[in-house]
Amino acid sequence: MPTEEASWLRAAMVERILAAERVSPAVEAALRMVPRHLFLPESSTEVAYEDSAVVTKRAFGGSAVRTALRPSVVAVMVEQLRVEPGHMILQVGADGYTAALFAELVGSAGSVVMIDLDQEAVHRARTCLNAAGYTDVAALVSNGHFGFPLRAPFDRILVTAKATDIPPAYIDQLVDGGRIVLPLQIRGLSRSVGFCRVGEILVSDSIRPCTFPRMHSAGARERATVILAAGVGLEVAAVEDVNADALREALLGPRHVLSTGVTVPPGDGLLASLDLWLATVRTHYGRLYIEQIADQRTPFAPPVPGGVSAVWSECSLAYLTYPTPDTATGPDLDVSVIAWGPDRFRLGDLLAYDVQVWDSQRRGGPDPTIRVYPSTLGWESLPPGRLIDTPSAQIMIIWD
């Protein structure tokens, strides 16, 4: 494709991103400069400049192994990181396009180190970076769980794949006052969280809903999808938390449907706020995905490719449902609960109550503050909040 046409497509992509996201002039300039199509040589130029994730590596069976992030997701995370000229940046994950954006932002006085455990992915990223002219980016094979001590400390760290843990290296290798952005898994929910290092802890100052691929490293714990029925999957933090057979049996029986009495306008971020609230108040929280299967009717709910909040007990499942904007009877969406299983009445009522508490106490309010403490710190030293233990850290979620 001629360079002029690629430039036009890139400009159109940036305009679509700017229509949905606020970014700084420096980030906008980087988005306009970096030729994304050179980082997706297996795809057409038109596909490269769509706001969509692109599979870059598949397993022998055809399933996606590695995926390039959507450009809008990249823009959000880069904006959260607040990169300045001269910064030293560590990027965990072989995403050459993102590394090229960093190279534009830090300039000749800064440096970018990109690491990944997948040798093939690193080689691919390095080849694409060289083809695009970003030869100063260091693309290295290394386990991201341990950071990169040879070049530490860093002013900024970006993790590009879902993280269920925050290793000590991420804090130790960050300068005091430095920033890290990562896709943090809060039980079954993922959010792009921007942290600032304050002494020996991390304190969040931005939380954004985004969709991310899985991390490939020694410290990664994969999110798991439990298949409950044809086209129905429950994505959770750990598969061992779910009695899958009991939930499958529950879906064969009667259901309990109730309205929460809460309505939300579509597309204004309130549903994302509600999801985050539920993920923090419920230990057994996940995302239920319902796909439309050709020539089949599903009794569960309308298709929800983006997923809905779900909670479960040993033998029952409850989840939120609301009409799509094109089927809603009014300007707002009515939030309801559907519950299945022997415990459906109690579990459904509890989920509806949690929604009502959010509506009365948290609706329209600020996001919580997430603080990350070393795992060695005694719990009696932690502030009050909702604690999520991980192998390497204690994650405290505090709603003001």
Side-chain angles (χ1 to χ4, degrees):
M1 171 174 287
T3 302
E4 294 78 9
E5 191 169 356
S7 298
W8 181 86
L9 289 171
R10 182 161 64 253
M13 178 195 76
V14 175
E15 292 302 324
R16 289 192 297 271
I17 292 173
L18 295 179
E21 305 291 345
R22 291 183 179 179
V23 299
S24 67
V27 172
E28 178 185 346
L31 290 169
R32 294 189 184 279
M33 181 64 66
V34 177
R36 188 173 189 250
H37 65 284
L38 295 184
F39 295 90
L40 298 168
E42 302 88 351
S43 302
S44 68
T45 307
E46 290 84 356
V47 168
Y49 289 113
E50 293 175 355
D51 189 23
S52 59
V54 179
V55 176
T56 58
K57 182 178 180 180
R58 294 186 182 275
F60 290 115
S63 60
V65 175
R66 300 191 71 97
T67 304
L69 294 172
R70 292 173 53 190
S72 59
V73 172
V74 173
V76 167
M77 299 184 76
V78 172
E79 181 68 22
Q80 285 180 292
L81 206 56
R82 304 177 195 170
V83 177
E84 297 178 6
H87 272 165
M88 305 277 287
I89 295 182
L90 173 65
Q91 177 181 311
V92 180
D95 185 326
Y97 174 67
T98 305
L101 292 173
F102 286 143
E104 290 286 344
L105 291 167
V106 302
S108 59
S111 68
V112 181
V113 178
M114 179 184 66
I115 61 174
D116 198 292
L117 191 59
D118 187 332
Q119 183 174 358
E120 180 181 346
V122 171
H123 175 74
R124 180 186 186 279
R126 184 186 296 119
T127 301
C128 293
L129 283 162
N130 291 339
Y134 297 97
T135 56
D136 290 338
V137 174
L140 306 169
V141 177
S142 186
N143 192 328
H145 184 75
F146 304 108
F148 198 69
L150 292 178
R151 295 280 188 92
F154 297 96
D155 299 292
R156 301 288 189 267
I157 298 176
L158 177 75
V159 182
T160 62
K162 291 180 293 191
T164 58
D165 193 11
I166 301 181
Y170 291 175
I171 302 177
D172 296 341
Q173 296 175 25
L174 192 65
V175 300
D176 196 17
R179 297 184 59 76
I180 178 172
V181 172
L182 53 79
L184 181 64
Q185 180 175 316
I186 304 170
R187 299 195 170 103
L189 188 72
S190 287
R191 287 290 185 265
S192 176
V193 183
F195 292 97
C196 180
R197 177 176 175 176
V198 181
E200 299 305 311
I201 70 171
L202 298 176
V203 181
S204 71
D205 56 18
S206 65
I207 303 175
R208 298 295 303 276
C210 292
T211 303
F212 305 95
R214 289 174 170 82
M215 175 180 281
H216 301 271
S217 74
R221 284 175 48 201
E222 298 284 342
R223 284 170 73 182
T225 299
V226 180
I227 303 302
L228 300 180
V232 181
L234 179 65
E235 192 167 17
V236 297
V239 67
E240 58 267 22
D241 293 339
V242 181
N243 186 337
D245 290 337
L247 296 190
R248 293 187 188 106
E249 184 176 350
L251 293 177
L252 299 176
R255 67 179 188 174
H256 173 48
V257 181
L258 69 156
S259 172
T260 66
V262 174
T263 62
V264 295
D268 72 343
L270 281 178
L271 284 175
S273 171
L274 174 57
D275 290 338
L276 184 57
W277 167 253
L278 294 175
T280 63
V281 300
R282 285 289 158 198
T283 302
H284 289 156
Y285 172 92
R287 301 285 291 173
L288 189 77
Y289 294 86
I290 302 174
E291 300 177 358
Q292 182 65 57
I293 301 178
D295 302 324
Q296 291 190 32
R297 297 183 62 187
T298 172
F300 304 117
V304 282
V308 291
S309 287
V311 298
W312 65 91
S313 63
E314 178 67 19
C315 58
S316 300
L317 173 74
Y319 52 90
L320 300 185
T321 184
Y322 30 79
T324 58
D326 57 332
T327 61
T329 57
D332 293 342
L333 306 180
D334 295 301
V335 181
S336 298
V337 172
I338 300 177
W340 305 75
D343 199 26
R344 61 188 179 277
F345 295 106
R346 184 191 68 86
L347 191 63
D349 290 347
L350 283 175
L351 180 56
Y353 173 76
D354 289 336
V355 174
Q356 292 161 358
V357 171
W358 167 83
D359 184 55
S360 63
Q361 298 182 12
R362 302 298 175 189
R363 182 186 182 110
D367 285 330
T369 299
I370 303 176
R371 296 184 178 182
V372 181
Y373 295 87
S375 59
T376 54
L377 189 66
W379 64 267
E380 66 277 0
S381 303
L382 301 177
R386 302 181 185 277
L387 179 65
I388 298 177
D389 271 319
T390 70
S392 304
Q394 300 176 90
I395 300 174
M396 183 66 71
I397 301 173
I398 303 167
W399 291 85
D400 295 329

